[in-house]
Amino acid sequence: MTAKRYGVLVAVMVAIGGLATHSAESRADQAPSWLRADSRRDPRAAIFVRRGCTQCHAIAALGVAAEADVGPDLTFAYADVLIRYDVNLESFFYNPTGVMRLMLASHLHLSTADRDSMVHILRGLYLERRADMDEVVPSFPPITRAGRR
């Protein structure tokens, strides 16, 4: 695993794993503001809601809760797919594996424009959240004052 992928994995684990150790009530209070589901949805969430993605997936950063919490939160999907399946999100949408292959073939009929829009939104969302986290999550391996590892 490359250092870049490891850094992304650490960031995702900190964001998700760190919250899992608290009760549901305290998680809502302690979660960063961008991770709290808000009663007001971000307009970018509309396509995911209209196409049925939120039946299984939350997108906490956009204020969307899943109807049935069976799939991963899509806030970090742009990096998560790369870590889980070793393909970028664009490739995954066009050639999914596992449950998503079944869902996209039988239940969620996404047009090319839908897929492209979703990738664009999820990439932007990931970059926004990653920028917010860069100040909090240390790089790996840490860089010393002399710039050496």
Side-chain angles (χ1 to χ4, degrees):
M1 181 177 294
T2 66
K4 183 178 179 181
R5 282 194 187 164
Y6 188 82
V8 170
L9 177 61
V10 169
V12 171
M13 288 172 38
V14 167
I16 296 170
L19 297 176
T21 59
H22 304 294
S23 70
E25 187 174 297
S26 67
R27 272 198 313 255
D29 295 335
Q30 294 178 4
S33 60
W34 56 264
L35 193 55
R36 290 186 209 132
D38 188 348
S39 60
R40 297 169 300 161
R41 284 193 185 132
D42 185 302
R44 296 174 291 180
I47 191 169
F48 298 96
V49 174
R50 280 194 318 265
R51 297 299 181 248
C53 303
T54 58
Q55 290 176 2
C56 299
H57 297 280
I59 312 171
L62 298 181
V64 177
E67 293 173 30
D69 197 14
V70 295
D73 186 302
L74 298 180
T75 298
F76 289 99
Y78 193 76
D80 188 41
V81 167
L82 183 61
I83 292 166
R84 287 179 191 231
Y85 302 105
D86 202 30
V87 297
N88 63 31
L89 185 61
E90 295 89 343
S91 297
F92 183 79
F93 261 132
Y94 287 97
N95 190 22
T97 60
V99 173
M100 284 306 297
R101 179 183 298 264
L102 173 66
M103 294 306 295
L104 287 171
S106 63
H107 295 357
L108 304 174
H109 301 288
L110 303 177
S111 68
T112 299
D114 289 338
R115 292 170 197 239
D116 291 346
S117 294
M118 289 175 177
V119 168
H120 177 75
I121 291 167
L122 292 173
R123 180 179 186 274
L125 185 62
Y126 170 74
L127 293 174
E128 289 170 18
R129 300 307 165 241
R130 180 70 188 155
D132 291 344
M133 292 173 59
D134 280 345
E135 295 178 13
V136 179
V137 178
S139 63
F140 186 83
I143 298 173
T144 63
R145 289 183 191 212
R148 297 184 186 136
R149 294 171 192 226

